[in-house]
Amino acid sequence: MSAVLDHHDHAHDDHHAPSGWQRWVYATNHKDIGTLYLLFAFTMLMVGGVLALMIRAELFQPGLQLMQPEFFNQLTTMHGLIMVFGAIMPAFVGFANWMIPLQIGAADMAFARMNNFSFWLMIPAGLMLVGSFFMPGGAPAAGWTLYAPLTLQMGPSMDAGIFAMHILGASSIMGSINIIVTILNMRAPGMTLMKMPMFCWTWLITAYLLIAVMPVLAGAITMTLTDRHFGTSFFNPAGGGDPVMYQHIFWFFGHPEVYIMILPAFGIISQVVPAFARKKLFGYASMVYATSSIAILSFIVWAHHMFTTGMPVTGQLFFMYATMLIAVPTAVKIFNWIATMWQGSMTFETPMLFAVGFIFVFTIGGFTGLMPAVAPIDIQLQDTYYIVAHFHYVLVAGSLFAMFSGFYYWMPKWTGVMYSETRGRLHFWWSIIAFNVTFFPMHFLGLAGMPRRYADYPMQFADFNAIASVGGFFFGFAQVYFFFFIVLPAMRGKGEKATQKPWEAAEGLEWEVPSPAPFHTFETPPKLDITATKVIG
């Protein structure tokens, strides 16, 4: 499918753009809001990263080195909350804001003012989360899952954390409504659902997931709040409550949440791989069905997080088989990406490096997730560093690497300049090596029985912890390098000028507009020539 665009002169577009601080505070343009989301997410990534490096510094050697266990637990809790709700999710919303209108030929998002509101809600929520460190008693220290009864015993920062989560949830729900309405109602004439780019499909499904599960989290933390202050006993055993009920409610949100953080990544990889393999995506329809299957199945696997809570064997069997079943559509995706690359005319520019790195390391994360799916094995692995290693392979090497791939792929369209290929490749190799040095040893620590969220450990775990800590610092510095040597020059417009279509085989409406994309694009919807087929290579 190619597009016949009514090419009008885009040069006059930019004088509509407001300037100065008002452009950003009152932003209703999807590109500006996308940029704001991405900058906010990167800021929170750096904050969460500093907390992670403090954790790794403490764990560099056995014994208490730098901090007391209470503060260590505050760091692990806030690192998780900030990375999940402040970095990964807002970054994908940033990608959605930038790319969905461009990819479907829409002038903007459906609800431009609500889009502005949903972004600015994140700022007070982020400040409240980070500011909880400075409240009496310090930040929440109950773990990022906020399990009762620990949450019932925390200081006032717990209330601030709950309030921040409510605000972030409201922002996510508004963003999701916006994305769904935009995709369903504002596609260019001729673009049927099954002709949409995969990134739009994955975000459409993700948005439905968000609307389904964010209220569940809101319910769980509201019950925690009323237990703390209003005399209820939902999770307080002293009043007849059940702490395990909290786990059920939380993980009914928490497992779809895992897919909320990875489905948009699948969408990005499904855009990048065909462009650099110079082939059409293998099995487009099966990719759509696999994504939908993952979303549906994600609602029936939540209790695999709870095999050690005293579940009946029948329940263990159900959740064990359901968890293994969800591996099938995920494997379909990986098969399709590899089939797309098979006999393709591949080149390995930075976006493709990150995409291939994603497929390799995410596959490891997927396999390590199959083992704790087996209930008897999970009893050994539960709450050890094996689990920490597994979900960092999925979320760092998964979500984060896919974002880097998408950033390098679309950055010329966003900024109008090309990044330095040498610097991009250095960022990739530095990141993937440091990542594996950090997290691969944690599998062995977990198999040997080292529990997570402990500030101290016996001598036999010392070597692997030292290696992981060194790797963690190298990985952190790689992202600082990325910001100063790739992001900042691009934001300043320094670099070789990007052409309208810097990747010869890239497909999609976003490559039909100039680079950088004008402030207003597609004021008249593009006409899609559905009969034309594009020959690549």
Side-chain angles (χ1 to χ4, degrees):
M1 178 178 68
S2 69
V4 180
L5 278 179
D6 293 338
H7 277 295
H8 68 283
D9 181 20
H10 281 285
H12 74 278
D13 282 346
D14 290 323
H15 71 247
H16 295 308
S19 57
W21 61 270
Q22 288 179 304
R23 170 177 179 176
W24 302 102
V25 173
Y26 300 132
T28 51
N29 183 286
H30 71 97
K31 303 178 186 74
D32 283 355
I33 293 173
T35 303
L36 286 169
Y37 266 110
L38 289 167
L39 287 171
F40 173 81
F42 191 81
T43 305
M44 295 301 268
L45 182 79
M46 290 293 101
V47 173
V50 168
L51 303 185
L53 294 187
M54 290 166 76
I55 292 167
R56 287 312 328 164
E58 174 57 55
L59 293 172
F60 181 63
Q61 287 182 303
L64 294 178
Q65 315 292 327
L66 307 170
M67 61 193 72
Q68 290 303 306
E70 295 83 5
F71 183 63
F72 182 87
N73 284 344
Q74 292 173 30
L75 292 178
T76 55
T77 303
M78 297 312 293
H79 166 69
L81 289 174
I82 287 169
M83 287 302 203
V84 169
F85 297 102
I88 299 285
M89 288 170 69
F92 278 134
V93 179
F95 274 99
N97 265 292
W98 248 106
M99 297 316 304
I100 287 173
L102 285 179
Q103 290 193 325
I104 64 172
D108 208 307
M109 297 295 278
F111 305 115
R113 288 181 190 278
M114 187 167 87
N115 206 9
N116 174 291
F117 186 45
S118 62
F119 169 74
W120 283 108
L121 276 179
M122 307 209 70
I123 302 298
L127 289 172
M128 227 182 307
L129 272 181
V130 178
S132 65
F133 277 107
F134 306 101
M135 294 181 183
W144 82 273
T145 48
L146 304 176
Y147 276 2
L150 286 172
T151 43
L152 310 182
Q153 301 155 10
M154 294 284 124
S157 63
M158 191 69 234
D159 304 320
I162 288 171
F163 192 32
M165 305 291 286
H166 273 300
I167 298 172
L168 290 166
S171 168
S172 291
I173 289 170
M174 284 193 284
S176 301
I177 292 168
N178 217 340
I179 287 165
I180 290 170
V181 175
T182 304
I183 290 175
L184 294 185
N185 290 347
M186 298 177 69
R187 299 190 308 282
M191 182 180 282
T192 62
L193 282 175
M194 291 306 277
K195 289 192 172 65
M196 280 198 314
M198 268 310 297
F199 180 69
C200 297
W201 256 115
T202 54
W203 243 118
L204 179 64
I205 292 163
T206 302
Y208 277 113
L209 277 180
L210 272 164
I211 289 173
V213 301
M214 288 315 286
V216 178
L217 175 68
I221 58 179
T222 305
M223 286 190 267
T224 303
L225 193 69
T226 60
D227 274 10
R228 285 169 57 81
H229 297 294
F230 299 107
T232 58
S233 292
F234 291 111
F235 311 130
N236 186 355
D242 182 6
V244 176
M245 181 171 78
Y246 176 86
Q247 295 191 31
H248 278 291
I249 301 169
F250 178 87
W251 286 116
F252 190 80
F253 147 81
H255 204 82
E257 167 69 13
V258 172
Y259 294 102
I260 286 163
M261 291 188 283
I262 200 66
L263 289 182
F266 291 165
I268 292 172
I269 300 303
S270 301
Q271 302 290 136
V272 173
V273 168
F276 293 94
R278 290 162 181 77
K279 279 174 66 186
K280 284 225 180 298
L281 180 67
F282 179 89
Y284 172 91
S286 65
M287 282 293 229
V288 173
Y289 297 135
T291 310
S292 311
S293 309
I294 289 171
I296 293 161
L297 289 171
S298 72
F299 285 100
I300 62 162
V301 298
W302 81 88
H304 68 208
H305 298 270
M306 299 171 56
F307 282 149
T308 55
T309 54
M311 195 185 299
V313 173
T314 319
Q316 289 186 347
L317 280 171
F318 172 82
F319 287 106
M320 195 163 95
Y321 293 142
T323 305
M324 290 177 177
L325 187 63
I326 208 167
V328 175
T330 313
V332 167
K333 288 179 161 302
I334 290 168
F335 174 83
N336 284 10
W337 292 323
I338 293 169
T340 305
M341 291 189 275
W342 181 254
Q343 293 189 331
S345 175
M346 284 201 291
T347 52
F348 292 96
E349 288 88 346
T350 310
M352 187 61 163
L353 280 178
F354 270 107
V356 174
F358 165 92
I359 294 167
F360 171 68
V361 194
F362 177 79
T363 304
I364 294 174
F367 277 127
T368 59
L370 275 173
M371 283 170 255
V374 182
I377 300 175
D378 184 67
I379 289 164
Q380 164 72 7
L381 300 179
Q382 172 80 10
D383 272 336
T384 68
Y385 266 80
Y386 183 93
I387 304 297
V388 177
H390 157 65
F391 71 69
H392 281 86
Y393 263 79
V394 174
L395 285 184
V396 182
S399 304
L400 192 64
F401 279 18
M403 283 183 217
F404 286 142
S405 178
F407 175 83
Y408 286 107
Y409 180 60
W410 284 311
M411 188 193 91
K413 186 57 62 186
W414 296 349
T415 63
V417 294
M418 292 299 290
Y419 61 89
S420 156
E421 193 61 56
T422 309
R423 289 178 181 179
R425 289 179 182 189
L426 174 62
H427 176 226
F428 168 73
W429 287 110
W430 187 353
S431 292
I432 198 163
I433 292 167
F435 169 80
N436 281 291
V437 170
T438 307
F439 293 105
F440 203 73
M442 291 186 192
H443 292 106
F444 303 116
L445 287 169
L447 288 167
M450 179 174 167
R452 63 178 177 176
R453 298 183 191 160
Y454 275 45
D456 191 7
Y457 53 86
M459 200 65 206
Q460 67 259 35
F461 300 135
D463 292 348
F464 279 144
N465 267 304
I467 293 167
S469 289
V470 171
F473 275 88
F474 274 101
F475 186 76
F477 292 138
Q479 309 331 315
V480 175
Y481 169 85
F482 166 70
F483 183 72
F484 282 106
F485 291 93
I486 291 155
V487 176
L488 274 187
M491 288 170 72
R492 290 183 183 140
K494 292 183 177 172
E496 182 192 331
K497 192 99 181 67
T499 58
Q500 177 174 312
K501 192 174 179 183
W503 319 116
E504 56 179 289
E507 286 200 326
L509 287 178
E510 71 262 41
W511 307 110
E512 306 286 339
V513 300
S515 300
F519 191 70
H520 295 291
T521 39
F522 302 126
E523 284 160 336
T524 54
K527 297 183 180 69
L528 297 188
D529 181 4
I530 303 164
T531 55
T533 53
K534 191 162 187 184
V535 181
I536 298 171

